[in-house]
Amino acid sequence: MLEVVNLTKRYGESYALNDVSLSIEQGTFTTILGPSGSGKSTLLMSIAGFVDPTAGDIRLNGRSLLPVPPERRNFGIVFQGYALFPHLSVRDNVAFPLRMRRLSSAETERRVSEALALVQLQDYADRFPRQLSGGQQQRVALARALVFKPALVLLDEPLSALDKGLREALRGELRRLHRKVGMTFVLVTHDQDEALELSDRVAIINKGRLEQCDDPVTLYNAPKTRFVAEFLGKSNFIPVRKLGVDGAVVRLQAGGVVLEHEQAGDATGAEAVLVLRPERIQIAPEGAPVGPNAVRGVVEETSFRGAEISVTVRTEIGTLLARAPSAHPFVRPAPGDRVVLHWMRKAGYLLDSADGTEAAGSG
Amino acid sequence: MIAGSRQTRAFLLFLTPSLVFLTVLFAYPVGKVLLVSVTDPELGLQNYRLLIENAALRRVFLTTVRIAGLTTLIAVAVGYVLAYRMHTAGERELRLIIFCLMFPLWTSVLVRAFSWVTLLQSNGIVNGILIGTGLTERPIQLVRNEIGVLIGMVHVMIPYATLPIYAVMKGIDARLPQAARSLGASSLQTFVRIFFPLTLPGIGAAMILVFITSIGFYVTPIVLGGGKVVMIAEYISVQITETLRWGLGAMLATVLLAIVLLFVFAFRRLTVLREQGA
Amino acid sequence: MNRRFLQVVILRGAVVAALTYLILPLLIILPVSLTDQRMLALPVNGLSLQHYAAVIQSEEWLSSTWQSLVIGIASTVLAVVIGVASAIGCKLVDSGRAGLVRILNLLPIVIPSIIYALGAYRFYVEVALLDTMAGVILAHAVGAIPFVFIAASASLEQLDLSLVRAAQSLGAGLIRTAIFVLVPNMKAGIVSGAIFAFLHSWDEIVVTLFISSRTVHTLPRKMWEGLNENLDPVIACVAVALLLFTLILLLIEQKVKRMPPAG
C-alpha cells in the first residue's frame, strides 16, 4: 500500500502541494485529477522521486520512500510525451530496465517479447521510436514501464498527446491492461471523463490541496465541495435554508418555495447549497401533474447536443439548467414556453454553505 | 515562400547582389588558385606528384594533421566538460561561462598569440613563476615547439568545440534522463547509456568544425611555432612569397580545400541520414 | 555519497581550470602593457604609462588605427547591405533556387583564409587593387558577409511568412515589404551581424598580409610586423586597445540580443 502523508511542497511563497494525504491500495487504479497547475504533476513526481517534498512523507508498505533515489524505488513511469530513448530501438527501450537490473540475456529477451506481446507490438521490436505513430509510442512506453514488474505504475497524462478517437480506444486498452497485469496504477490527468471511466478511485486536487478522494460514483453523486461538483460536469447550485427534519426528509426553503430532500449521512448547518445535476431534473409542460420539488419557470434558451437537449429555465428560485433526452416524445421545449421543473427527493446533494462558497470563489 | 511570379523578382532584387559580389571577388579568385595548381609551371599533374615524392611535403602534411588532430581531441574534451557544466549551471554561472567563451572567440588571434608568447617564452611569466617557486631550475621550453602551438590553438578552438555540444545538450528532452532513472539506472549509468549517446551528434559536429578550422591555421602556428613547427598554411605562404612556386602553393591549397570540403560534405550526409532515420 | 562529492569536485575543478585558461591570456596583457621595463614583462617597480605615450606619439600607429577604422566601417556597411539582402532573399525565394546563393554566402568562413588570400592576391594583381584601401575593404567585406548572413537569417527564422503575405495583400511591393516589415523585425540580427562584421575586419590579418604592403597597414598588420621584428611592450598597449574595442562591441551585442525585437 502506498501512503502519502501530509505531503507539502513549497516553492518560495507558493504551495505546489499543501498537506495532501492519500492512500492507494495494492492492485487498484487510482487517478489524480485536477486542472493544470493544480499540483497533480508535482504529486506524481514526488512519488517518483524527482521532486523532494518540503514536508510530509511518502510510504510504501509502511517504509518511507524519501531517502530512496528514483532508480531504487522500482516504479514504472509512463512520462508525458513518453520519453522514449530516441537512440534505442523499441526492443532496447523495453530491455533497458532489465539490463539495469542485470537480468540474464535469455530472461531479458523472454520478458521483452512478453511485454511487447502484451501491448501488441511484437512486430515493431526493431523499429526506432520516431518510426512509430503516437499510439504505438504510447504502447512502447507502457511496455517499458511494465516489463520489470514494478511495485507501482505511474502514468503522467499518458493520453493527452493523442487525438480524440485514439484516446478513447487506448482508454479501453489501458483498463484491460490493468486488469490483466493486476499491478497498482496511478494516473495523472486533467480529463474528467478519463478519470471517471478508468479508475477505482479518483483523487481531485485543486490549488495544491486534496479536495476529495472517492470512487467515481460517489464523487459524481455526492461531491464534498463545490469545486468537485463543478469540475465533474455541470451542476445547479441552489442556496437553501433548512426548515426542519421530518424523519429521513429534510425540508428546505429556496426563495419562496419549500423543497424536500433526502440524503444519507449527517445533515449540514442551517444555511446550505443544494447541488443538482441537470440530468436529474425533469421537464414537464405547465399544469402537468408532478410530485414534490416542483418549480415553475419560463424557458430562456435551448441547445441541441445530440443525444440530449439542455434547457435553461428562469424559475422562481433562480435560473436552472436541465437536460432532457432529445428523443423525448412529448417534451420539445422552446424559448418562451412555460414549464415545470421537478426532481425526486434523492436527486440532489446538500453541501455545507461554507464548502460551497469557499470553492465557488476559485471558479 | 511567396507566389511563383514574384520569385524571380525577389531573386533578382535580393540575391543578385551577393551572387555577383561573391562570385567576382571570392569564387573566381579561389577558382583561379585551383586552376593554377594544374597549369603552373606547365599544364599537368606534376604538382600533385610532388605530394607522393617529396618527403618535406609529406612531413608538413603529417605535422598539420597531427597538430589539428590533437587540437581537436583536446578542445572537444574540454568543450564537452564546459558544455556539460553550462547545461547544468544556473543562470549566473551560465552567463559567466558564455562570457569566458565569447570574449576570447572574438579577440584577434594575433593578440592571443602575442599574449601566449608573453606568458610562455623562456624569460616569460610562466617560466618566471616556475623558477621563482623553485619548481624548476632552468626555463622550460614552452614556445617554438608543438606544445606552444597546441596551447595556442586549443585556446582558439575551445569556443568552437563547446557551442555545438551545448546546443545539442540543450535540445535533449529533460524527461529522458528522468525516465532512465525511474527504470533503474544510476546517475552514472544514465550519463553513459542515455545522455552521452544523445550528445554524440554534438561531439561529431564539434570535432569536424574544430578539425577543418585547425587544419588551415596560419597565425598561431607561425607565432608560437617560431619556424620550428610548420603547418600547411605557413608552408603555402612560403611557396608564394619566398620561393615563388605558385603551382606548388596552389596545389597544396587545393588539397587543403578538398579535405575541408570532404569533411563538410561527410558531416552534412551524416546529419541528413540521421534525420531521415535510416 | 563520497564518490558523488568527488565527481562534483573534479567537474568544478576542471571547469575553473578551463575558464582560467580561456581568460588568463586576455587579462595578462593589461599589466604587461603597464610595465616599467623595456621588454615584455610584468611591472617590477611600479606601473608606467610610458609605452602608451609611445603609441600615442607614434605617427605610424595612429595612421594604422585610422586606416583600420575606415576599412572596418566601410567593409561593415558593404557586408551588411549584401548579407541582409541575401538573408531576406533566402527567406522569400524557394530553397531550391536559393540554395546555391546560401552556400556561396557561407563559403568564406568555411574555406581556410590562406586559400582566399592567395586568390585575392592574384586577382588584385590582375585588376590593380593590390595595396589599396578599396582592395582591403572589398576583401574584408567578403569575409564578413557570412557573419551578417548567419545573424540576419537567424533573426528571420522565427518570423512568420504570413507577415509577408499580409504586407503584400495590403499593397506593399517586395522592396517596401522588406524595408517596412522585414528589416524592423531583424534589428537585433542586423546589429549583431554588423558588430561581428566589424570585428572580423578589425582583427583580420591573413588576407590583409597578402594584399597590402606599404600604402595600407592596418593595426593587426602593424602588430604582426612588430611581432616579427622586436617584442616591444608597445605592442602590448596596442593589444589592449584591440581587446577593449572587442569587449565594448561584444557587450553592446549582448545588450542588443536581450532587447525585445522591434522596440
Side-chain angles (χ1 to χ4, degrees):
Chain A
M1 187 171 81
L2 184 85
E3 288 167 290
V4 174
V5 188
N6 306 118
L7 200 71
T8 297
K9 176 68 188 175
R10 218 174 49 210
Y11 293 103
E13 289 298 296
S14 66
Y15 285 85
L17 289 175
N18 194 346
D19 201 22
V20 172
S21 294
L22 190 67
S23 63
I24 291 166
E25 298 290 333
Q26 180 68 41
T28 55
F29 197 128
T30 303
T31 296
I32 300 168
L33 175 66
S36 64
S38 58
K40 58 186 191 302
S41 289
T42 309
L43 179 54
L44 191 83
M45 286 295 128
S46 303
I47 297 174
F50 295 115
V51 169
D52 291 325
T54 314
D57 200 1
I58 302 167
R59 296 187 197 125
L60 185 66
N61 301 324
R63 282 178 47 196
S64 174
L65 282 175
L66 294 186
V68 183
E71 68 267 27
R72 300 208 184 280
R73 293 198 182 187
N74 206 33
F75 294 166
I77 303 176
V78 176
F79 286 82
Q80 197 170 6
Y82 320 133
L84 297 178
F85 304 129
H87 62 300
L88 300 180
S89 66
V90 167
R91 184 196 311 282
D92 289 335
N93 260 287
V94 177
F96 188 89
L98 304 176
R99 299 211 167 111
M100 290 301 114
R101 286 164 177 75
R102 302 185 195 290
L103 264 61
S104 72
S105 58
E107 176 70 5
T108 301
E109 200 174 316
R110 193 182 63 73
R111 287 237 224 146
V112 168
S113 33
E114 214 176 83
L116 287 178
L118 191 66
V119 295
Q120 291 148 29
L121 282 176
Q122 305 93 306
D123 302 335
Y124 295 85
D126 295 317
R127 301 266 186 107
F128 281 86
R130 62 175 171 273
Q131 296 167 310
L132 302 179
S133 70
Q136 289 167 336
Q137 290 186 20
Q138 206 268 350
R139 275 149 49 195
V140 176
L142 265 171
R144 189 177 69 175
L146 294 172
V147 71
F148 58 103
K149 304 207 163 41
L152 192 67
V153 181
L154 302 171
L155 305 111
D156 190 2
E157 303 258 8
L159 304 176
S160 64
L162 306 169
D163 53 39
K164 195 160 178 283
L166 197 54
R167 207 156 58 212
E168 271 158 22
L170 278 167
R171 249 186 236 164
E173 200 166 319
L174 209 54
R175 204 161 49 164
R176 269 198 303 282
L177 208 60
H178 174 246
R179 269 198 227 112
K180 199 163 168 187
V181 298
M183 286 187 245
T184 314
F185 275 40
V186 179
L187 171 83
V188 160
T189 184
H190 64 269
D191 183 328
Q192 301 89 332
D193 297 338
E194 206 170 295
L196 294 179
E197 187 182 332
L198 285 171
S199 331
D200 299 316
R201 288 172 74 77
V202 178
I204 296 191
I205 302 255
N206 180 38
K207 294 181 159 177
R209 286 183 176 277
L210 181 67
E211 295 269 338
Q212 187 172 357
C213 179
D214 263 311
D215 65 280
V217 176
T218 309
L219 271 181
Y220 191 79
N221 291 331
K224 282 205 184 111
T225 65
R226 183 161 179 159
F227 176 81
V228 172
E230 279 183 328
F231 196 60
L232 292 177
K234 286 225 155 87
S235 290
N236 293 295
F237 298 94
I238 307 166
V240 293
R241 204 154 52 81
K242 223 180 292 174
L243 293 175
V245 183
D246 187 2
V249 180
V250 187
R251 292 192 307 128
L252 307 166
Q253 170 95 42
V257 183
V258 175
L259 305 173
E260 291 180 4
H261 176 70
E262 231 183 294
Q263 178 175 335
D266 51 345
T268 38
E271 302 285 327
V273 173
L274 181 68
V275 181
L276 205 52
R277 298 280 182 194
E279 68 271 21
R280 298 282 172 86
I281 301 178
Q282 318 277 323
I283 305 173
E286 193 172 43
V290 293
N293 297 332
V295 294
R296 280 172 304 162
V298 180
V299 174
E300 264 192 346
E301 202 186 329
T302 63
S303 69
F304 178 71
R305 300 163 58 89
E308 50 179 35
I309 299 175
S310 56
V311 185
T312 314
V313 181
R314 197 169 61 233
T315 73
E316 42 203 324
I317 59 167
T319 303
L320 295 181
L321 182 71
R323 277 193 194 136
S326 58
H328 198 290
F330 307 119
V331 184
R332 292 270 162 78
D337 284 4
R338 303 194 146 272
V339 293
V340 175
L341 300 181
H342 60 107
W343 59 89
M344 302 203 291
R345 289 194 188 96
K346 288 182 175 175
Y349 189 81
L350 210 52
L351 269 185
D352 216 351
S353 220
D355 289 331
T357 43
E358 187 198 328
S362 72
Chain B
M1 253 175 282
I2 51 174
S5 57
R6 292 249 175 150
Q7 291 262 332
T8 314
R9 237 173 82 72
F11 191 99
L12 285 174
L13 221 51
F14 299 117
L15 295 179
T16 325
S18 76
L19 190 61
V20 171
F21 190 82
L22 289 173
T23 304
V24 173
L25 284 160
F26 182 75
Y28 170 75
V30 168
K32 276 290 275 279
V33 172
L34 308 187
L35 200 64
V36 168
S37 75
V38 289
T39 58
D40 184 288
E42 60 197 44
L43 202 65
L45 291 174
Q46 69 281 359
N47 288 321
Y48 289 87
R49 200 175 307 128
L50 287 176
L51 215 51
I52 306 162
E53 291 167 355
N54 190 321
L57 266 183
R58 279 209 305 273
R59 209 165 42 242
V60 169
F61 259 101
L62 218 65
T63 310
T64 307
V65 169
R66 184 175 59 242
I67 291 179
L70 279 171
T71 302
T72 304
L73 290 180
I74 301 169
V76 170
V78 176
Y80 197 90
V81 172
L82 283 179
Y84 187 75
R85 188 66 208 142
M86 286 167 78
H87 182 65
T88 50
E91 177 79 15
R92 282 174 65 102
E93 196 181 346
L94 179 63
R95 283 240 204 104
L96 175 76
I97 298 178
I98 288 178
F99 173 81
C100 290
L101 290 170
M102 294 310 278
F103 187 25
L105 178 64
W106 286 103
T107 298
S108 143
V109 285
L110 193 58
V111 168
R112 288 192 271 171
F114 165 75
S115 174
W116 280 118
V117 171
T118 316
L119 280 165
L120 300 176
Q121 64 186 336
S122 47
N123 57 352
I125 293 164
V126 168
N127 271 313
I129 292 170
L130 288 178
I131 296 170
T133 55
L135 280 173
T136 157
E137 281 179 16
R138 270 176 296 140
I140 301 173
Q141 182 75 18
L142 291 171
V143 281
R144 278 183 254 301
N145 59 15
E146 287 192 14
I147 295 174
V149 176
L150 275 177
I151 291 176
M153 284 181 53
V154 169
H155 185 257
V156 177
M157 283 294 122
I158 283 177
Y160 290 86
T162 309
L163 296 174
I165 298 176
Y166 175 59
V168 169
M169 285 182 180
K170 233 169 77 172
I172 294 176
D173 184 347
R175 281 182 297 234
L176 293 175
Q178 281 192 346
R181 295 294 292 274
S182 78
L183 295 168
S186 67
S187 57
L188 189 66
Q189 279 172 317
T190 302
F191 179 81
V192 172
R193 291 196 173 234
I194 304 300
F195 192 78
F196 185 76
L198 290 173
T199 56
L200 282 174
I203 295 179
M207 288 185 88
I208 285 177
L209 181 64
V210 173
F211 188 77
I212 63 175
T213 313
S214 313
I215 205 171
F217 254 53
Y218 184 76
V219 171
T220 313
I222 293 183
V223 176
L224 291 169
K228 298 273 170 32
V229 185
V230 179
M231 285 178 69
I232 190 166
E234 181 181 5
Y235 194 80
I236 292 172
S237 87
V238 171
Q239 301 317 309
I240 306 302
T241 55
E242 282 163 33
T243 59
L244 297 178
R245 291 168 72 183
W246 265 96
L248 178 58
M251 180 276 286
L252 291 173
T254 308
V255 174
L256 179 60
L257 182 63
I259 294 173
V260 168
L261 291 183
L262 197 76
F263 273 96
V264 172
F265 182 72
F267 177 66
R268 278 186 61 101
R269 258 203 89 86
L270 215 75
T271 47
V272 167
L273 283 181
R274 272 185 60 85
E275 275 158 20
Q276 286 173 349
Chain C
M1 217 54 189
N2 230 333
R3 226 179 74 187
R4 181 106 194 98
F5 180 70
L6 203 68
Q7 278 174 16
V8 170
V9 168
I10 291 175
L11 179 64
R12 289 288 171 89
V15 170
V16 171
L19 295 184
T20 311
Y21 170 59
L22 284 170
I23 285 298
L24 181 71
L26 305 185
L27 299 184
I28 203 74
I29 320 183
L30 185 64
V32 169
S33 74
L34 293 168
T35 189
D36 52 352
Q37 308 288 300
R38 302 194 58 80
M39 51 167 202
L40 276 176
L42 290 173
V44 178
N45 300 317
L47 303 179
S48 150
L49 286 171
Q50 58 182 14
H51 303 294
Y52 282 95
V55 175
I56 291 174
Q57 282 154 14
S58 153
E59 201 62 34
E60 285 177 47
W61 282 111
L62 288 182
S63 101
S64 280
T65 310
W66 180 242
Q67 281 195 343
S68 269
L69 277 174
V70 170
I71 291 169
I73 290 167
S75 64
T76 299
V77 170
L78 249 178
V80 166
V81 171
I82 294 170
V84 169
S86 319
I88 292 175
C90 285
K91 177 93 176 176
L92 297 181
V93 176
D94 72 89
S95 51
R97 282 206 272 181
L100 181 72
V101 187
R102 186 190 298 276
I103 292 171
L104 195 60
N105 270 291
L106 295 173
L107 269 187
I109 46 166
V110 175
I111 292 180
S113 350
I114 185 73
I115 299 173
Y116 175 52
L118 299 192
Y121 174 70
R122 274 187 85 94
F123 180 64
Y124 281 6
V125 172
E126 259 177 64
V127 296
L129 275 174
L130 210 59
D131 201 24
T132 61
M133 289 287 275
V136 178
I137 289 169
L138 289 174
H140 284 190
V142 165
I145 284 175
F147 296 110
V148 178
F149 179 72
I150 290 170
S153 297
S155 68
L156 270 177
E157 200 152 301
Q158 281 102 33
L159 202 76
D160 193 346
L161 261 181
S162 59
L163 222 59
V164 173
R165 298 199 188 103
Q168 292 183 339
S169 75
L170 297 169
L174 279 172
I175 296 178
R176 283 191 295 173
T177 302
I179 294 175
F180 295 117
V181 178
L182 295 178
V183 170
N185 282 296
M186 304 165 70
K187 261 189 208 152
I190 294 173
V191 173
S192 292
I195 287 174
F196 294 148
F198 184 86
L199 283 174
H200 167 78
S201 166
W202 186 245
D203 292 340
E204 213 296 320
I205 175 71
V206 181
V207 179
T208 311
L209 274 182
F210 278 77
I211 59 172
S212 66
S213 58
R214 253 156 297 161
T215 326
V216 183
H217 40 83
T218 61
L219 267 187
R221 181 172 181 118
K222 188 93 178 63
M223 213 178 135
W224 173 266
E225 281 155 9
L227 217 59
N228 285 343
E229 284 156 19
N230 55 331
L231 282 173
D232 191 328
V234 166
I235 299 177
C237 300
V238 177
V240 168
L242 286 174
L243 214 69
L244 275 180
F245 214 85
T246 306
L247 187 61
I248 291 166
L249 286 179
L250 267 186
L251 291 179
I252 294 174
E253 201 268 338
Q254 289 297 313
K255 266 260 146 50
V256 171
K257 221 181 241 168
R258 253 180 258 129
M259 278 192 324

